Amino acid sequence: MTARHARFRTVLGLLVAWGVLATTGLVAAAPAAAGERAWTRLAPGVRYRQFDIAASKGPARAHLLTVDLHDPRVSVGLLYPGAVGARAKLSTLAGGRGAVGGVNGDFFNITETQHPGVEATGASVGPAIADGRELKAAVPDGQRFGPVLPPGTSTREVIGVDGEHRARLGRLALDGSLRTPGGQLALGGLNQYALPVGSVGAFTSDWGSVSRVRATCGTDTDRAAPCSTVTHEVTVRGGRVVSAAATPGGGPIAADAEVLVGREAGAVELRKLHVGDAVTIRHRLVEARSGRPYRFAVGGYPVLRGGAPLPGLDADTAAVRSAAGIADDGRTLLLLALDGAPEFRTGLTIAELAAVMRRAGSVDAFSLDGGGSSTLVTRDPGDGSITVRNHPSGGAERPVPNGIGVFSRA
């Protein structure tokens, strides 16, 4: 037996030998239970199965993909609609990219009931990188959608794959600046639906055509706070200011242009610029721990690190959830979504989710968006069609801003 096969067999053994999760009282259903399914091979190194769990709030059904990144024919990447401020069904995204499987991704700006008249952008909360291209940075912690973050974590957390074809957790911070005739300013955002108070954010063609007004609403600690009354927007093309406006606009951004949006003190600085002024814009995402670049990254938050659940995980609120896990020193990726059918809709608590991912073989695990967003899809080996394996809890697929796609060159 090769070392690679031994490692993969170890992970499979953990998946079928569930046992009792003593810390949560969570147990797997018996192997003969109706919800158990044998492994389905989708492609070399990519497998799918479903299984049932006797959870604290009621039965749950899980749908799981395992991805062997040892296999050079297998890769993982970001599924998204081609713009940060856009949404599409996961099955559409996976089908359009030729993925053999996938799961939904980050939490996102789904509604703007707190700011009447302001358009919801559909943009995700955390950083996003696709094929090495840095699409966006993270919104302030107080502006996020989703459950309360575990202590010590932030909106900058990501799961992704690096240039060495290894999956890993990380934290991506924005490093950016503006050089203007008046001096240098720090950049507070990149293609974000919410900017820090008093900052300037950059929007590129990756943002899409949705309105940029939402970027000036709420505060760093209160998502529902009113929109700022002190705003300004400047368009830079070819290193020069070409237009300005008192309020953020919308519509497509040219590939050779960037739009700067300022609020409060940031707006005051942008008002000093005039058409024809030279402006240099610089931005990149920096991994805070290792410094190694990602080829792909998506936001969410960690629930398991080094084989141990993070302190302070919620053990009371159960819901339909999605997650991603890492095993075998980053060479195995596990993608999971719970079923939202009525008989399974109580789901798992975050503490239970961490326990399930650990029993599945994960050393590190990451919570993705849940509820009506939880979706797992596969491409059927026989006819090549995309199948939604779980039942989305809203009764139909919810359009999402991004997801994790699994690809095979076999």
Side-chain angles (χ1 to χ4, degrees):
M1 180 184 298
T2 67
R4 186 180 109 183
H5 288 161
R7 284 190 292 265
F8 195 62
R9 187 169 173 179
T10 297
V11 173
L12 297 185
L14 285 167
L15 284 165
V16 297
W18 289 90
V20 177
L21 303 182
T23 58
T24 62
L26 193 67
V27 298
E36 288 290 331
R37 294 287 188 274
W39 286 101
T40 298
R41 181 178 182 270
L42 304 177
V46 185
R47 295 190 181 196
Y48 160 79
R49 76 172 297 204
Q50 75 174 44
F51 54 89
D52 287 353
I53 306 162
S56 61
K57 309 293 184 180
R61 175 165 291 175
H63 300 262
L64 179 71
L65 286 172
T66 62
V67 184
D68 182 8
L69 295 175
H70 288 93
D71 194 320
R73 297 167 294 181
V74 176
S75 61
V76 179
L78 188 74
L79 298 174
Y80 77 108
V84 169
R87 294 195 289 155
K89 294 178 180 179
L90 184 69
S91 59
T92 301
L93 297 174
R97 287 283 307 278
V100 297
V103 71
N104 66 287
D106 198 0
F107 303 85
F108 60 96
N109 175 209
I110 189 171
T111 181
E112 278 305 322
T113 56
Q114 297 159 325
H115 304 110
V118 174
E119 182 181 6
T121 66
S124 61
V125 168
I129 296 176
D131 298 321
R133 182 185 181 94
E134 298 171 340
L135 298 179
K136 69 177 300 290
V139 303
D141 288 354
Q143 290 269 19
R144 69 183 297 274
F145 289 77
V148 176
L149 287 169
T153 65
S154 79
T155 56
R156 297 186 295 277
E157 313 288 344
V158 296
I159 188 169
V161 174
D162 62 24
E164 298 178 352
H165 210 49
R166 292 179 185 270
R168 57 188 175 87
L169 304 185
R171 180 176 291 183
L172 290 173
L174 177 64
D175 175 23
S177 64
L178 308 174
R179 186 175 296 279
T180 73
Q184 185 163 301
L185 301 173
L187 194 67
L190 173 63
N191 291 330
Q192 297 168 205
Y193 71 76
L195 294 172
V197 172
S199 72
V200 174
F203 291 80
T204 71
S205 58
D206 288 323
W207 171 252
S209 58
V210 70
S211 170
R212 297 176 289 275
V213 170
R214 176 59 184 84
T216 62
C217 299
T219 68
D220 300 355
T221 58
D222 183 4
R223 192 180 73 206
C227 298
S228 176
T229 58
V230 183
T231 63
H232 200 70
E233 179 174 280
V234 167
T235 300
V236 177
R237 178 179 288 168
R240 300 257 173 203
V241 175
V242 296
S243 65
T247 57
I253 300 171
D256 63 345
E258 292 194 44
V259 175
L260 301 175
V261 174
R263 57 178 298 177
E264 297 89 31
V268 172
E269 291 298 325
L270 290 185
R271 287 172 184 170
K272 298 175 183 178
L273 296 175
H274 304 283
V275 172
D277 283 350
V279 176
T280 300
I281 306 169
R282 181 189 64 83
H283 43 69
R284 64 188 183 115
L285 297 178
V286 179
E287 210 294 308
R289 297 186 179 98
S290 70
R292 291 185 297 175
Y294 282 91
R295 292 294 302 164
F296 141 75
V298 68
Y301 60 89
V303 296
L304 190 69
R305 188 176 281 141
L310 268 68
L313 295 182
D314 180 12
D316 297 319
T317 305
V320 176
R321 304 188 188 278
S322 296
I326 300 171
D328 192 19
D329 195 26
R331 293 303 193 187
T332 299
L333 183 68
L334 299 91
L335 304 178
L336 177 142
L338 298 182
D339 207 291
E343 62 268 37
F344 303 113
R345 199 165 291 169
T346 50
L348 300 174
T349 68
I350 294 296
E352 288 175 330
L353 181 69
V356 165
M357 295 305 291
R358 182 175 59 186
R359 288 291 178 176
S362 301
V363 175
D364 301 313
F366 201 72
S367 178
L368 303 166
D369 192 11
S373 298
S374 283
T375 313
L376 188 141
V377 301
T378 65
R379 185 177 296 275
D380 293 342
D383 58 16
S385 61
I386 292 292
T387 297
V388 179
R389 290 289 187 168
N390 68 329
H391 296 84
S393 61
E397 273 192 89
R398 172 187 286 172
V400 294
N402 55 38
I404 301 174
V406 182
F407 304 90
S408 173
R409 295 194 303 272

